[in-house]
């Protein structure tokens, strides 16, 4: 039996994947923000980059939670 997943599942999964990739990139190379945008909002002390790492980690966890909830919803719906 094929599982029926709503479109929101795929959007949440894509968001989780994108934020996870950006989190990992930022964790290992925080300079990409300054290179891509051409600005140093924190004056070069790294505070902004660490804030971005924390926000991306939180966004990844939130997205994964939403994906899991949508997955469980489809399992329950399939069983009934």
């Amino acid at each position: 039996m094929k599982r029926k997943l709503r479109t929101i599942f795929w959007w949440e999964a894509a968001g989780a994947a994108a934020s996870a990739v950006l989190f990992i990139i930022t964790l290992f190379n925080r300079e990409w923000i300054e290179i891509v945008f051409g600005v140093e909002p924190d004056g070069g002390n790294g505070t902004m980059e660490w804030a971005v790492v924390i926000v991306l980690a939180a966004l990844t966890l939130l997205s994964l939670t939403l994906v899991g909830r949508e997955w469980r919803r489809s399992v329950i719906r399939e069983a009934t």
Side-chain angles (χ1 to χ4, degrees):
M1 185 170 210
K2 190 172 183 178
R3 177 165 300 180
K4 178 72 173 157
L5 295 169
R6 296 188 308 175
T7 305
I8 191 72
F9 170 84
W10 299 108
W11 282 105
E12 291 167 348
S19 63
V21 167
L22 287 174
F23 167 72
I24 292 169
I25 289 171
T26 307
L27 189 61
F28 289 106
N29 182 8
R30 289 172 296 281
E31 304 301 318
W32 76 266
I33 297 168
E34 295 167 357
I35 293 168
V36 169
F37 296 108
V39 295
E40 290 187 24
D42 57 6
N45 71 0
T47 306
M48 181 65 173
E49 288 86 352
W50 280 112
V52 170
V53 167
I54 292 168
V55 168
L56 286 169
L59 186 60
T60 301
L61 291 174
L62 175 65
S63 297
L64 288 173
T65 301
L66 293 172
V67 166
R69 185 170 64 179
E70 185 65 27
W71 180 267
R72 284 188 300 279
R73 185 197 143 288
S74 72
V75 169
I76 290 169
R77 194 169 179 171
E78 183 180 304
T80 59

